Amino acid sequence: MRDPLSEVISLLRPQTPSSKLAAASGPFRVRREDVTEVFYAFVLVGRVCLQLDGKALLEMGAGDFVLVPAARGFTISSVDPPPASGTTSRPVVGEDGVFRIGPVDGPVDVQQLVGHCSFGSADSELLVSLLPDMVVVRGEQRLGALAGLLRDEARADRPARDVIVQHLLEVLLIEAFRASGQPGGSPGLLQGLADARIGPSLRAMHRAPEQAWTVAQLAREAGLSRSAFYTRFNRIFGVPPMGYLLSWRMTLAKHLLAGGGQGVAEVGARAGYGSVSAFSSAFQREVGCSPMRYARTVAAE
């Protein structure tokens, strides 16, 4: 059985990446507001400032990697020299495919590998909410190597390209989240997995979602009292334990129904429901349609 992080990344179904090499000369400031996809960047040379909307200014140097799972606007600017107030730079693609910022004949002060991808899951909003809103990894060269492989593969016209790209994206995301999963980080799945108490109960839910879990049983997995476990889980995830379990079961059920080949009874059993009627009622309440209708709708798309 894969661990919860691998499950979430796999269910997100990362796809359709675009990546580019960007080289900058002199002072610059690039502003992007039309962001609708996952954003990541790896600094190869120099230093930059990244300002995500609603977040503190982040300075990055060579070897640093940043990943933003949820789309939001951002500004990237030079550190030395800093841009003058009101400076706006427009990247221009060169004949070599490299995007240049600033004077095209000037010495390269900053070089970055920048990429975007999307999530194919219908539950991407729920799954992304389990992850940190920003991941920063410093000095981890293997992330740069993965990003480079992804860039090369996405641009190639080779057999099984789409399959390889998806797997490379999954590995890149897992490596980034794994490298940043430290206690005290952003609320969500990584902090839960890193928490010595909540981690065992979280893994138990993912290992056996079909089990008739209670708060008392999950608290025993965590080695805490019911009230202490409930409070700690809710603080990390922003939802109670049983609310998290219900959302996860529905996510798995939709994934299984979309895959076809399994009846409603079997899917319901794997999602932790002892009868078709109980599963159908819960699915209707949470998703807004019956399991059969959901499966037919997905198949018709």
Side-chain angles (χ1 to χ4, degrees):
M1 182 68 177
R2 291 180 300 180
D3 60 43
L5 177 58
S6 297
E7 274 195 302
V8 168
I9 298 301
S10 179
L11 289 176
L12 277 169
R13 292 195 291 121
Q15 57 190 14
T16 58
S18 63
S19 60
K20 60 189 176 185
L21 193 61
S25 304
F28 68 90
R29 180 187 288 113
V30 177
R31 172 66 184 168
R32 288 290 307 274
E33 296 181 343
D34 56 339
V35 182
T36 60
E37 298 179 312
V38 183
F39 165 77
Y40 63 87
F42 184 80
V43 181
L44 299 168
V45 176
R47 293 184 298 157
V48 299
C49 282
L50 173 65
Q51 178 79 67
L52 293 175
D53 291 355
K55 301 287 288 186
L57 188 70
L58 174 68
E59 185 172 321
M60 300 173 59
D64 291 348
F65 178 88
V66 65
L67 171 71
V68 184
R72 65 173 68 193
F74 64 87
T75 302
I76 295 181
S77 58
S78 56
V79 174
D80 185 22
S85 177
T87 297
T88 301
S89 307
R90 184 180 298 276
V92 178
V93 63
E95 294 182 358
D96 56 0
V98 176
F99 282 74
R100 288 301 303 259
I101 305 170
V104 295
D105 55 350
V108 174
D109 302 315
V110 173
Q111 193 175 61
Q112 302 177 82
L113 186 60
V114 180
H116 298 269
C117 70
S118 60
F119 293 138
S121 171
D123 289 307
S124 60
E125 185 175 349
L126 166 66
L127 294 168
V128 167
S129 72
L130 302 177
L131 301 171
D133 53 7
M134 181 170 70
V135 171
V136 181
V137 182
R138 300 192 184 276
E140 186 61 66
Q141 292 298 324
R142 62 189 295 164
L143 287 170
L146 282 168
L149 284 172
L150 181 60
R151 173 177 176 267
D152 293 343
E153 190 64 36
R155 293 185 171 190
D157 185 17
R158 292 181 251 188
R161 183 195 73 123
D162 291 344
V163 174
I164 293 175
V165 163
Q166 180 171 340
H167 287 309
L168 281 174
L169 273 171
E170 290 180 1
V171 173
L172 176 66
L173 293 173
I174 290 172
E175 281 288 341
F177 290 127
R178 187 168 63 178
S180 67
Q182 300 298 325
S186 302
L189 182 64
L190 296 185
Q191 188 180 348
L193 290 173
D195 189 284
R197 296 290 193 175
I198 297 302
S201 63
L202 188 61
R203 291 184 178 90
M205 280 191 277
H206 281 256
R207 184 175 61 249
E210 74 283 356
Q211 186 167 324
W213 293 107
T214 65
V215 173
Q217 290 173 324
L218 292 170
R220 281 196 294 272
E221 294 280 344
L224 295 169
S225 68
R226 288 181 57 180
S227 60
F229 169 71
Y230 184 96
T231 300
R232 191 162 179 156
F233 193 101
N234 198 63
R235 184 179 70 245
I236 291 175
F237 286 95
V239 295
M242 303 315 290
Y244 176 92
L245 180 59
L246 174 61
S247 295
W248 183 245
R249 284 172 167 170
M250 289 297 109
T251 297
L252 290 177
K254 286 193 280 185
H255 175 69
L256 293 171
L257 289 168
Q262 298 186 54
V264 172
E266 184 179 357
V267 172
R270 293 185 63 180
Y273 293 88
S275 69
V276 173
S277 60
F279 171 58
S280 296
S281 296
F283 195 92
Q284 177 78 43
R285 184 171 57 252
E286 296 299 319
V287 181
C289 66
S290 70
M292 286 295 294
R293 181 177 178 185
Y294 179 85
R296 287 196 298 266
T297 301
V298 173
E301 291 178 351

